[in-house]
Amino acid sequence: MNKTGLLAALALCAFGSLAHADEDSLRIGIEAAYPPFSFKTPEGNISGFDYDIGNALCDEMKVKCQWVIQEFDGMIPSLKVRKIDAVLSSMSITEDRMKSVDFSKKYYHTPGKFAMKTGQVINDPAVDLKGKKLGVQRSSTYDRYATEQLAPAGVEIVRYSAQSEAFLDLVSGRLDATLADIVNTNESFIKTPAGNGFALVGPDINDPKYFGRGAGIAVRKGDGANAARLNAAIDAIRANGKYQQVMAKYFAFDIYGE
C-alpha cells in the first residue's frame, strides 16, 4: 500500500472509532444545583435523583453517560447547537418547550409550592402576593407561570440562575416568597437548618398549561431515535425495579405521579 493509501486507511479507521465512540455514549446536560434531584457532593461529584436515574437509563441502553454541568437556562440552547445530546435536569414537558425540542415520556411528576415564613397564608396567589417579591428560577416553568399569571396582578418577580439563590434571599428577607418544585423546596430548604421558620404555603401549583405532563428528558427536535430508546429504557427500569430503588434512596413517597 502506498503512503497516500495508508494515510487514507488510517483516517478511515480513526473516523470509524470516533463514530463508534459517539454511538456508545450520550452527552447529558444536568444543572447539579437542584437538590435532591441534582447536586454536587462535598467531594465535587454529581449526585441526586436525576443523576442516578440517568445512569440507570444509560446502563439499560448500554451506553456511557457523559454528564455536562451547566446552568438551567442554557440547556436548550446547548442542545440545539449539539453541545449535548439530551437534558436530564427536572425539565417539565410543556407545549412551549416542545416547539423547540422533543421529549421522552415523563420520569416523574410533582407539583410546585410556595415557601414563605411560617404563619403566612396564601389562598389566591394573585391576590395574597400582590405587592410582594416572589423569587423564581430563571427560564423555569415557575418563571413563566409567575410572569404571566402573577406579575400582571402586581407581584414583583425576581429571577435567579439557581433556585438555591432564591432560598438564600428568602432567608435574608430580600424576598417574601419563592415558588419551586415541592420536593426540591421541602428537601433542600424546609427540612434544613436554613429553612427553620419557613413553611410550604398555599395550593399546589400544577396548571398543565405551564407545567405540562411532568419532567421528561429533552432531545433535539426530530431526534426520534434517542427519544425512542429513552422511552424504552424508562419503561424497562420501572418494570425491573431499578427506578423504585433510586426513588427510595431520595424520597419516602412515590414521585412518579399519575
Side-chain angles (χ1 to χ4, degrees), residues 97-232:
R97 285 180 176 145
M98 288 178 68
K99 296 174 184 176
S100 301
V101 298
D102 288 337
F103 280 95
S104 71
K105 60 176 60 180
K106 72 170 184 180
Y107 66 97
Y108 80 85
H109 193 183
T110 52
K113 201 84 168 177
F114 294 99
M116 298 182 74
K117 285 185 177 179
T118 301
Q120 298 294 309
V121 176
I122 295 179
N123 294 311
D124 183 341
V127 173
D128 297 328
L129 290 174
K130 183 177 181 179
K132 297 184 183 297
K133 291 184 178 180
L134 173 68
V136 295
Q137 184 173 18
R138 184 180 299 109
S139 296
S140 68
T141 50
Y142 302 103
D143 182 358
R144 183 175 173 229
Y145 166 82
T147 299
E148 296 185 7
Q149 293 296 317
L150 303 182
V155 181
E156 182 179 346
I157 311 302
V158 185
R159 298 170 180 83
Y160 297 86
S161 60
Q163 180 58 38
S164 58
E165 297 171 1
F167 292 141
L168 289 174
D169 272 6
L170 184 62
V171 172
S172 69
R174 288 188 285 269
L175 290 176
D176 298 295
T178 185
L179 175 62
D181 180 88
I182 188 171
V183 175
N184 172 250
T185 302
N186 193 53
E187 299 296 322
S188 66
F189 179 59
I190 299 297
K191 286 186 176 181
T192 70
N196 186 37
F198 293 88
L200 294 166
V201 179
D204 287 352
I205 305 299
N206 54 13
D207 185 342
K209 175 181 177 181
Y210 297 98
F211 304 103
R213 304 185 297 274
I217 305 167
V219 298
R220 276 183 291 278
K221 200 71 179 172
D223 187 0
N226 271 328
R229 66 176 180 166
L230 284 165
N231 284 341

Side-chain angles (χ1 to χ4, degrees), residues 19-34:
H20 182 69
D22 287 343
E23 290 171 0
D24 287 349
S25 65
L26 194 68
R27 297 168 302 168
I28 306 176
I30 191 168
E31 184 182 11
Y34 195 65

Side-chain angles (χ1 to χ4, degrees), residues 30 37-38 48-55 67 88-90 107-108:
I30 191 168
F37 295 100
S38 62
F49 176 78
D50 283 348
Y51 178 72
D52 287 356
I53 285 293
N55 286 328
W67 293 98
L88 205 169
S89 197
S90 293
Y107 66 97
Y108 80 85

Side-chain angles (χ1 to χ4, degrees), residues 53-74:
I53 285 293
N55 286 328
L57 293 173
C58 284
D59 285 345
E60 186 65 35
M61 296 184 292
K62 295 180 172 54
V63 299
K64 179 183 178 181
C65 282
Q66 294 184 354
W67 293 98
V68 181
I69 301 173
Q70 60 181 88
E71 291 186 352
F72 188 81
D73 59 0

